[in-house]
C-alpha cells in the first residue's frame, strides 16, 4: 500500500469579520471599476506571484527579495568618518556582480496617521492625572501630525537573480540578503529582510499614494477567497498618457535625469527627495563583468585614439602643428585612461543605471509645480530633467520595488560616480511610548526614546547655567511618571523640584536641622532574602563613618574591623527578634555597639557622638515619612556643606534599598541626582556613585547625574568610569573646555559639536547608544506641564491659575 502524503495545513484566517468585510468590499469595487481596464490590476504590477517568505516570482526564471534599510549620521559626520561611510557604501555597491541585478527605491509614503497617533497616545490610568496626561498626549500627537504631513521616507534595496527553480533561488537569495544586512551594519545602518506581507504593504502604499488606511491582508483569506496578491494592493484606477499619468485620484509624472556634469554633489539624492512630500526616486543597477568592463573601456579608448589620429592627419594636411588637438579629445583620453587605471588597480566597477523620478499630487497643477522645482534643482547640478514620453506605464511598473525594469534608458557609471547618490543624512530616533526629548534639528521629526532599551541605560545631563538642564530633567520625570509604573527618586540640592512633586502626589522630604521629617541611615530592607545584605550595609556604614571621621588618611584597618563587628551585632540583634520597621536600629544603637569595642573604636565613636546626641542629630531618628511613595524627592537645600555630603551618601543608600526592593517586584527605579558634582568631590560618596553606575543596571535601577561641568568626571580613573558606563548623554550648551573633553570621549565630530557651542536654551546634542543627534525643544508654554517644569519664577506664578482651569475643564 502506497504511503499517503500528509495534507498541507490550511492557513488560518486571522482577520476579524469587520476586516474581512472591508476586503470583500474592496474586491467588489475593484472588479466593477476594472472590467475594461485590466492594466490597473495586472500589467502595472509586474510579477507573477508574491510568496509568504518574501520571495517574489517576477517572471519565468527570475526571483527577487527586498531589504528595507534606514539612516546613519552622514551629513553631520566628520571628514574622516564621512569618507569611511562613503567607502563602505562603495564596497556595498561593488558586492553585486553581473549575476545580480539590484534596485534602490527611495519612496515618500503616506502612513496611517490614526494608527501612528494611537501608538503614541498615553492611556488613561486610575489616578487623578488623566487631565495633564491628555494635555501631554495631545501635544505629542500634534507634533507627530506636523512631521512631513504624515509622509515618511522609506528606503528599499531589491535584488533579482536568475534560477531554474524556487528552491535554488531561495538558498541564493537568503545568502545574499544576510550578507547585505551585514554590509549595512558595518556602516551602522539598520536593515531587515521583508517578508511577503511586508513587501505587499510597501507595494500597496506605492500604488495607493493618498491612502492612509491600514493595509489589510491575510494569507488565509487569499486562499479561501481565491484572490491574487495583486487584488489586495491594486489601485482602483490607472490611466497613462504621453508624459503623465492618473492613479486613483492622484496626478503624477515619471521623468529621468540626463547626467551631464563631470561631478555631482553627494547631496543630490537628498535634495531631490526634499522637493515634495511625494517625490520618490528609483535607480535600477546592473553590474558589468569586470573583463567586459575593461574591454569596453579599452574599446572606447581605441575609438578616441583613432579620432586623435584622424585629427592629426587633418592638421598635417592643412599645415598645422599635429600636436594641437581639440580640447575635448584630450579630455576624453585623460578620463578614459584614469578610468582604465581605476578598473585595473582600484576598487572600481562599471554599472549600467536607469534613474527615474516619480512625483504624485492631488491636483495636476501642484504636480506640474513640483516638476518645475525638480527641473530647477537638476539644472543647478548641470544636469537635465526630461519626460519619459510614451513610457509612463513601463516606467511606473519598473519603479515598484519588485526587481523588474523595462525602461530602455541607461547610463554607464563607475562605482565612485554611482556612490554619489548616497541615501544617508542623519539617523532618526523614534520609539513608540518612548520619552519625548525634542525635535531632530535637521529633519524636525520627533525624538522619542526609551532608555530601558539601551544596553546600559545610565544617563548624564550636561549644560551651562541657564541652558535648560533642570527643565529637561523635569520633562523626563513627568513623562516617565505619566507613561510608566517606575518609581522615581530625586536628590534636590537646590529645592526646585517641589512644585512638580507636590502636583504629582509625591513625597517631598525636607532634610534640615529644623525639619521634623527624618530619614534613618540604618534602614535595611526587611524583605530582602539576599545573604550578604548585612555585609552590604556594613560597607555603607564604613563609608559613612569615614566621611564623619574625616582626616587625611581616613579609617585605620582596626577601626574598620570594629565598625563591621558593631554593624553585624546591631543587625543580628534586630533580625533575631521581631524585625519590624518601628524597631529599626538607629545611629544611637550603632554608637552603643561601638563603645563596647573599647579603645579601638574610640575615635569613631567620639566623631559619631555629635550626630547622635549633639547639634547635628537629625539623622538619629527612625524614618517617619512615606519613602514608599512612587515619587520621592529629597530636599537638602538648607544643609551645610558637611551635612550635605553626609546626607547625599545616606540618600544613595536609601535608593539602594529601594532598588533592591523593586527588583523583587520587577519594577524599575529611576534616580535623578542634581548637582552631581557634589558627590564626586569626596572619596566616599564618589566611590558609592561609581558602584551605583556599575551595578544599578542589573538591579533595575536607572541613575541620572545632572551637572554643569564634564571635568568633574575626570578627577580619577574610577570616576571616569561613570562617563564610560553611560549610554545616554544629554548635552546642552557647553563651555569651551568641556566641549573638547566631550568631543574626545564621545567621538563627536566638528560638525556635531557646533550644536553645543553657544547654543540657545533647550538646544544641543543627545547621545543614545551609538546614535548622536542634534535636538531642539520648543516646549509649548501654554500648557500645565510647562508651568510644572519651568524654573522661571515669573512663569511659575501662572501655575495655580492653569491648574484650576485644567481641573474645571
Amino acid at each position: 500500500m502506497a504511503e499517503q502524503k500528509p495534507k498541507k495545513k490550511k492557513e488560518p484566517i486571522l482577520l476579524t469579520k469587520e476586516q474581512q468585510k472591508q476586503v470583500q468590499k474592496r474586491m467588489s469595487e475593484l472588479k466593477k471599476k476594472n472590467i475594461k481596464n485590466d492594466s490597473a490590476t495586472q500589467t502595472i504590477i509586474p510579477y507573477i506571484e508574491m510568496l509568504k517568505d518574501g520571495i517574489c516570482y517576477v517572471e519565468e526564471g527570475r526571483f527577487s527579495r527586498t531589504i528595507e534599510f534606514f539612516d546613519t549620521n552622514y551629513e553631520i559626520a566628520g571628514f574622516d568618518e564621512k569618507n569611511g561611510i562613503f567607502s563602505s557604501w562603495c564596497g556595498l555597491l561593488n558586492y553585486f556582480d553581473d549575476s545580480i541585478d539590484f534596485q534602490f527605491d527611495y519612496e515618500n509614503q503616506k502612513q496611517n496617521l490614526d494608527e501612528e497617533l494611537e501608538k503614541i497616545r498615553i492611556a488613561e490610568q486610575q489616578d487623578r492625572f488623566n487631565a495633564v496626561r491628555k494635555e501631554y498626549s495631545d501635544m505629542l500627537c500634534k507634533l507627530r501630525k506636523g512631521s512631513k504631513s504624515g509622509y515618511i521616507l522609506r528606503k528599499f534595496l531589491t535584488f533579482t537573480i536568475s534560477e531554474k527553480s524556487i528552491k535554488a533561488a531561495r538558498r541564493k537569495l537568503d545568502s545574499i540578503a544576510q550578507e547585505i544586512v551585514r554590509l549595512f551594519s558595518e556602516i551602522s545602518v539598520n536593515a531587515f529582510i521583508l517578508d511577503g506581507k511586508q513587501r505587499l504593504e510597501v507595494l500597496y502604499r506605492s500604488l495607493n499614494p493618498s491612502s492612509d488606511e491600514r493595509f489589510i491582508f491575510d494569507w488565509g483569506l487569499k486562499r479561501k477567497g481565491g484572490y491574487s496578491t495583486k487584488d489586495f494592493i491594486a489601485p482602483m484606477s490607472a490611466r497613462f498618457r504621453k508624459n503623465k499619468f492618473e492613479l486613483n485620484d492622484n496626478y503624477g509624472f515619471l521623468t529621468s535625469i540626463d547626467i551631464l556634469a563631470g561631478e555631482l554633489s553627494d547631496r543630490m539624492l537628498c535634495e531631490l527627495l526634499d522637493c515634495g512630500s511625494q517625490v520618490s526616486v528609483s535607480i535600477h543597477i546592473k553590474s558589468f563583468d569586470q573583463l567586459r568592463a575593461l574591454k569596453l573601456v579599452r574599446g572606447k579608448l581605441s575609438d578616441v585614439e583613432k579620432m586623435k589620429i584622424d585629427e592629426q592627419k587633418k592638421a598635417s594636411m592643412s599645415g598645422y602643428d599635429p600636436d594641437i588637438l581639440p580640447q575635448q579629445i584630450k579630455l576624453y583620453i585623460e578620463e578614459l585612461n584614469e578610468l582604465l587605471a581605476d578598473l585595473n588597480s582600484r576598487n572600481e566597477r562599471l554599472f549600467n543605471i536607469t534613474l527615474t523620478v516619480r512625483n504624485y499630487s492631488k491636483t495636476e497643477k501642484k504636480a506640474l509645480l513640483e516638476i518645475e522645482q525638480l527641473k530647477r534643482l537638476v539644472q543647478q547640478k548641470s544636469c537635465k530633467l526630461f519626460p519619459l514620453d510614451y513610457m509612463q506605464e513601463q516606467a511606473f511598473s519598473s519603479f515598484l520595488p519588485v526587481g523588474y525594469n523595462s525602461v530602455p534608458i541607461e547610463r554607464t557609471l563607475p562605482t565612485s560616480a554611482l556612490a554619489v547618490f548616497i541615501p544617508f543624512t542623519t539617523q532618526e530616533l523614534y520609539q513608540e511610548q518612548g520619552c519625548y526629548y525634542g525635535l531632530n534639528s535637521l529633519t524636525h521629526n520627533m525624538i522619542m526614546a526609551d532608555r530601558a532599551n539601551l544596553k546600559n541605560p545610565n544617563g548624564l545631563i550636561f549644560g551651562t547655567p541657564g541652558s535648560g538642564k533642570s527643565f529637561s530633567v523635569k520633562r523626563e520625570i513627568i513623562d516617565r511618571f505619566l507613561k510608566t509604573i517606575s518609581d522615581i527618586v530625586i536628590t534636590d540640592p537646590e529645592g526646585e523640584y517641589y512644585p512638580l512633586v507636590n502636583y504629582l502626589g509625591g513625597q517631598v522630604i525636607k532634610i534640615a536641622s529644623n525639619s521634623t521629617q527624618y530619614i534613618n541611615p540604618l534602614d535595611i530592607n526587611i524583605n530582602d532574602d539576599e545573604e550578604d545584605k548585612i555585609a552590604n550595609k556594613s560597607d555603607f556604614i564604613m563609608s559613612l563613618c569615614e566621611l564623619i571621621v574625616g582626616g587625611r588618611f581616613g579609617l585605620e584597618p582596626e577601626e574598620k574591623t570594629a565598625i563591621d563587628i558593631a554593624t553585624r551585632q546591631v543587625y543580628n540583634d534586630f533580625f533575631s527578634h521581631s524585625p519590624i520597621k518601628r524597631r529599626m536600629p538607629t545611629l544611637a544603637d550603632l554608637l552603643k555597639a561601638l563603645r563596647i569595642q573599647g579603645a579601638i573604636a574610640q575615635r569613631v565613636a567620639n566623631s559619631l557622638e555629635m550626630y547622635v546626641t549633639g547639634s547635628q542629630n537629625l539623622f538619629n531618628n527612625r524614618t517617619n515619612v512615606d519613602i514608599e511613595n512612587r515619587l520621592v524627592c529629597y530636599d537638602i537645600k538648607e544643609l551645610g556643606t558637611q551635612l550635605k555630603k553626609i546626607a547625599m551618601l545616606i540618600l544613595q543608600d536609601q535608593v539602594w534599598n529601594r532598588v533592591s526592593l523593586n527588583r523583587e517586584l520587577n519594577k524599575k527605579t529611576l534616580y535623578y541626582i542634581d548637582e552631581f558634582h557634589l558627590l564626586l568631590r569626596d572619596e566616599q560618596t564618589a566611590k558609592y556613585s561609581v558602584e551605583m553606575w556599575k551595578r544599578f543596571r542589573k538591579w533595575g535601577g536607572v541613575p541620572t547625574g545632572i551637572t554643569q561641568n564634564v571635568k568633574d568626571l575626570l578627577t580619577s580613573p574610577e570616576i571616569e568610569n561613570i562617563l564610560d558606563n553611560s549610554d545616554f548623554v544629554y548635552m546642552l550648551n557647553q563651555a569651551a573646555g568641556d566641549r573638547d573633553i566631550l568631543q574626545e570621549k564621545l567621538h563627536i565630530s566638528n560638525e556635531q559639536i557646533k550644536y553645543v557651542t553657544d547654543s540657545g536654551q533647550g538646544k544641543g546634542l543627545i547621545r543614545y547608544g551609538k546614535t548622536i543627534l542634534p535636538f531642539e525643544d520648543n516646549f509649548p508654554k501654554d500648557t500645565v506641564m510647562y508651568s510644572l517644569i519651568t524654573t522661571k519664577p515669573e512663569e511659575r506664578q501662572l501655575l495655580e491659575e492653569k491648574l484650576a482651569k485644567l481641573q474645571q475643564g
Side-chain angles (χ1 to χ4, degrees):
M1 188 174 178
E3 184 181 346
Q4 290 185 344
K5 291 184 179 180
K7 292 182 179 179
K8 286 187 179 180
K9 190 176 179 182
K10 289 185 177 180
E11 197 73 43
I13 298 174
L14 303 176
L15 299 179
T16 63
K17 289 185 178 179
E18 184 61 34
Q19 289 171 335
Q20 290 182 48
K21 285 181 181 178
Q22 290 179 37
V23 171
Q24 289 166 0
K25 182 181 177 182
R26 171 181 168 79
M27 298 307 169
S28 177
E29 290 177 358
L30 197 65
K31 188 176 179 182
K32 287 177 184 177
K33 292 190 176 185
N34 289 295
I35 292 172
K36 294 183 179 180
N37 185 10
D38 206 36
S39 71
T41 56
Q42 298 298 326
T43 59
I44 65 169
I45 307 176
Y47 67 78
I48 297 172
E49 186 57 85
M50 182 71 71
L51 305 181
K52 191 177 179 181
D53 62 358
I55 293 175
C56 181
Y57 184 14
V58 182
E59 54 190 351
E60 195 62 40
R62 300 279 289 166
F63 304 89
S64 73
R65 254 199 183 285
T66 294
I67 292 172
E68 182 170 6
F69 63 97
F70 298 89
D71 222 323
T72 190
N73 279 333
Y74 179 76
E75 194 169 310
I76 55 175
F79 181 77
D80 291 339
E81 191 179 353
K82 236 177 191 178
N83 278 342
I85 294 172
F86 191 84
S87 296
S88 297
W89 177 245
C90 289
L92 189 147
L93 296 175
N94 284 340
Y95 168 75
F96 297 95
D97 59 28
D98 62 321
S99 68
I100 311 169
D101 295 347
F102 59 111
Q103 168 188 1
F104 287 104
D105 283 280
Y106 308 106
E107 295 206 25
N108 281 302
Q109 293 191 345
K110 195 170 183 64
Q111 300 299 291
N112 185 325
L113 198 55
D114 290 337
E115 199 172 291
E116 287 292 309
L117 297 181
E118 198 58 41
K119 291 175 184 176
I120 63 172
R121 281 196 179 96
I122 309 171
E124 291 189 355
Q125 297 179 24
Q126 298 299 316
D127 57 28
R128 59 185 180 86
F129 308 114
N130 283 328
V132 72
R133 191 174 277 116
K134 182 180 184 303
E135 178 195 70
Y136 184 41
S137 184
D138 290 345
M139 186 206 84
L140 294 177
C141 289
K142 184 178 179 181
L143 288 172
R144 182 69 184 88
K145 284 179 183 177
S147 175
K148 219 172 181 182
S149 306
Y151 290 91
I152 185 171
L153 177 62
R154 301 181 69 184
K155 304 170 185 180
F156 307 102
L157 167 56
T158 302
F159 55 95
T160 311
I161 62 168
S162 297
E163 280 292 345
K164 293 180 180 179
S165 68
I166 181 64
K167 187 176 180 180
R170 181 175 281 112
R171 283 196 301 269
K172 189 172 180 181
L173 288 169
D174 288 346
S175 174
I176 294 169
Q178 294 296 334
E179 182 62 17
I180 291 171
V181 170
R182 188 193 66 78
L183 289 169
F184 272 121
S185 70
E186 288 185 357
I187 45 177
S188 301
V189 173
N190 292 323
F192 67 93
I193 305 162
L194 300 184
D195 63 25
K197 185 175 179 180
Q198 289 167 331
R199 288 190 72 176
L200 289 172
E201 191 267 340
V202 169
L203 291 169
Y204 172 80
R205 297 290 170 207
S206 191
L207 290 161
N208 298 272
S210 59
S211 173
D212 60 356
E213 295 178 358
R214 181 187 170 196
F215 174 60
I216 299 175
F217 175 80
D218 187 84
W219 296 101
L221 186 65
K222 169 188 173 294
R223 173 191 51 77
K224 184 180 178 182
Y227 304 124
S228 162
T229 53
K230 296 182 184 182
D231 295 325
F232 290 86
I233 62 175
M236 290 298 173
S237 63
R239 181 177 294 177
F240 297 93
R241 303 181 186 277
K242 175 187 174 183
N243 61 0
K244 61 185 178 182
F245 64 91
E246 296 172 27
L247 193 71
N248 293 346
D249 54 352
N250 292 269
Y251 296 85
F253 294 85
L254 278 151
T255 52
S256 188
I257 297 174
D258 192 0
I259 303 171
L260 304 173
E263 289 186 3
L264 286 174
S265 164
D266 58 1
R267 289 277 303 148
M268 176 77 172
L269 179 62
C270 298
E271 289 176 15
L272 284 171
L273 294 167
D274 285 340
C275 276
S277 60
Q278 286 183 280
V279 173
S280 300
V281 174
S282 176
I283 309 174
H284 280 273
I285 308 168
K286 186 168 181 60
S287 173
F288 277 76
D289 174 75
Q290 195 70 349
L291 291 175
R292 182 186 161 211
L294 289 167
K295 185 177 179 181
L296 176 70
V297 175
R298 287 184 186 123
K300 293 287 183 184
L301 187 57
S302 296
D303 291 342
V304 179
E305 290 284 1
K306 187 176 180 298
M307 289 170 59
K308 175 184 172 181
I309 293 168
D310 290 343
E311 289 293 329
Q312 287 175 329
K313 284 180 180 179
K314 288 179 184 177
S316 295
M317 290 173 64
S318 302
Y320 298 115
D321 185 350
D323 291 332
I324 300 174
L325 293 169
Q327 190 64 34
Q328 199 171 11
I329 290 179
K330 288 183 178 180
L331 185 63
Y332 283 159
I333 291 173
E334 286 176 12
E335 287 180 348
L336 286 168
N337 276 318
E338 186 178 343
L339 179 57
L340 192 60
D342 288 344
L343 290 173
N344 272 315
S345 57
R346 297 183 192 136
N347 194 23
E348 289 279 332
R349 297 179 66 91
L350 276 189
F351 300 91
N352 271 342
I353 75 160
T354 302
L355 191 153
T356 49
V357 181
R358 183 188 69 199
N359 67 299
Y360 287 129
S361 281
K362 294 292 288 182
T363 64
E364 188 172 0
K365 184 178 179 181
K366 188 177 178 183
L368 283 167
L369 286 172
E370 283 184 351
I371 284 291
E372 289 302 316
Q373 189 177 349
L374 284 165
K375 278 182 180 177
R376 286 194 295 273
L377 172 66
V378 170
Q379 191 173 345
Q380 287 172 5
K381 308 296 181 183
S382 299
C383 298
K384 183 180 179 183
L385 187 80
F386 63 92
L388 294 172
D389 289 349
Y390 303 108
M391 289 189 289
Q392 293 289 296
E393 186 169 348
Q394 296 100 301
F396 187 90
S397 298
S398 302
F399 205 100
L400 299 173
V402 170
Y404 168 87
N405 182 26
S406 63
V407 178
I409 298 172
E410 290 183 337
R411 171 69 192 265
T412 304
L413 293 176
T415 304
S416 53
L418 174 59
V420 162
F421 296 99
I422 190 166
F424 306 125
T425 52
T426 181
Q427 283 177 297
E428 297 289 357
L429 187 54
Y430 182 79
Q431 298 170 358
E432 294 160 14
Q433 291 303 313
C435 181
Y436 168 73
Y437 290 107
L439 302 178
N440 187 319
S441 298
L442 295 172
T443 63
H444 302 290
N445 290 328
M446 290 172 67
I447 298 175
M448 292 184 71
D450 187 352
R451 286 165 60 182
N453 295 333
L454 286 168
K455 185 178 179 181
N456 198 333
N458 302 340
L460 292 166
I461 296 177
F462 299 120
T464 55
S467 59
K469 291 192 304 295
S470 296
F471 188 96
S472 304
V473 174
K474 292 174 188 175
R475 186 195 58 219
E476 182 176 283
I477 287 170
I478 197 169
D479 186 290
R480 297 295 84 189
F481 183 90
L482 295 174
K483 290 181 181 177
T484 72
I485 61 168
S486 302
D487 284 353
I488 302 169
V489 183
I490 307 163
T491 297
D492 182 10
E494 298 298 326
E496 58 178 310
Y497 289 83
Y498 65 88
L500 173 63
V501 177
N502 282 336
Y503 176 77
L504 296 176
Q507 173 73 68
V508 178
I509 303 172
K510 187 175 183 181
I511 301 175
S513 299
N514 59 354
S515 175
T516 57
Q517 295 178 311
Y518 302 118
I519 294 295
N520 182 7
L522 267 66
D523 279 340
I524 194 168
N525 188 0
I526 299 170
N527 301 318
D528 193 350
D529 295 328
E530 194 171 342
E531 292 181 6
D532 60 349
K533 60 184 173 184
I534 297 178
N536 290 336
K537 196 69 184 181
S538 176
D539 187 56
F540 157 70
I541 292 173
M542 271 187 236
S543 297
L544 179 64
C545 290
E546 196 155 15
L547 194 60
I548 288 171
V549 172
R552 185 176 177 183
F553 302 105
L555 296 173
E556 298 292 335
E558 295 86 354
E559 290 173 327
K560 290 182 179 180
T561 302
I563 293 169
D564 183 62
I565 292 170
T567 302
R568 290 182 181 278
Q569 182 182 329
V570 166
Y571 285 110
N572 285 332
D573 181 63
F574 172 66
F575 282 106
S576 62
H577 296 83
S578 53
I580 55 177
K581 289 184 180 179
R582 60 185 177 84
R583 288 192 64 257
M584 191 70 70
T586 63
L587 283 179
D589 298 312
L590 178 65
L591 179 61
K592 184 178 177 182
L594 284 169
R595 293 289 188 201
I596 297 172
Q597 300 295 317
I600 296 174
Q602 194 64 35
R603 185 169 72 110
V604 179
N606 290 341
S607 300
L608 192 60
E609 186 77 47
M610 180 174 65
Y611 298 94
V612 176
T613 60
S615 60
Q616 308 294 330
N617 66 346
L618 66 157
F619 294 116
N620 186 36
N621 296 277
R622 291 190 175 93
T623 301
N624 67 346
V625 287
D626 180 18
I627 59 171
E628 294 181 6
N629 191 300
R630 189 188 158 200
L631 175 59
V632 176
C633 175
Y634 296 104
D635 181 350
I636 57 174
K637 181 181 180 181
E638 295 183 16
L639 290 179
T641 305
Q642 183 61 23
L643 271 178
K644 193 170 282 188
K645 296 174 188 176
I646 294 170
M648 293 186 86
L649 183 65
I650 291 169
L651 297 184
Q652 281 183 313
D653 186 66
Q654 287 285 327
V655 176
W656 268 114
N657 290 337
R658 183 67 164 262
V659 169
S660 65
L661 180 65
N662 282 343
R663 182 177 67 164
E664 304 299 323
L665 304 172
N666 198 25
K667 191 177 185 183
K668 292 196 178 299
T669 309
L670 313 182
Y671 182 34
Y672 295 88
I673 314 156
D674 213 337
E675 304 296 337
F676 187 44
H677 59 276
L678 296 175
L679 283 172
L680 305 178
R681 288 176 181 173
D682 289 281
E683 184 182 344
Q684 292 76 26
T685 52
K687 177 185 172 185
Y688 225 68
S689 300
V690 171
E691 279 299 304
M692 188 179 291
W693 250 254
K694 284 181 179 178
R695 297 177 59 199
F696 247 38
R697 175 183 57 83
K698 297 177 183 177
W699 292 46
V702 183
T704 304
I706 305 109
T707 188
Q708 293 180 19
N709 299 118
V710 187
K711 297 184 188 77
D712 296 318
L713 293 163
L714 303 178
T715 53
S716 73
E718 290 78 17
I719 292 173
E720 200 170 338
N721 285 331
I722 290 175
L723 185 56
D724 295 333
N725 288 324
S726 299
D727 280 354
F728 178 86
V729 184
Y730 196 83
M731 295 162 275
L732 295 146
N733 185 55
Q734 301 293 311
D738 292 326
R739 289 199 297 270
D740 294 338
I741 295 168
L742 286 170
Q743 216 173 343
E744 181 185 350
K745 293 291 291 181
L746 303 181
H747 308 293
I748 298 173
S749 71
N750 290 330
E751 288 297 318
Q752 292 168 334
I753 206 69
K754 291 176 183 177
Y755 290 93
V756 291
T757 305
D758 299 324
S759 55
Q761 192 174 41
K763 296 181 179 180
L765 286 173
I766 183 172
R767 177 180 180 253
Y768 182 88
K770 294 182 179 179
T771 301
I772 299 177
L773 292 179
F775 68 84
E776 53 189 48
D777 180 22
N778 299 314
F779 203 93
K781 294 184 178 181
D782 58 345
T783 59
V784 171
M785 265 191 72
Y786 183 86
S787 301
L788 287 169
I789 59 184
T790 184
T791 55
K792 297 178 181 177
E794 65 274 14
E795 292 175 336
R796 280 188 183 179
Q797 293 175 5
L798 301 173
L799 174 61
E800 294 301 326
E801 180 184 335
K802 289 181 179 178
L803 288 177
K805 186 178 179 181
L806 185 67
Q807 296 297 337
Q808 290 173 6

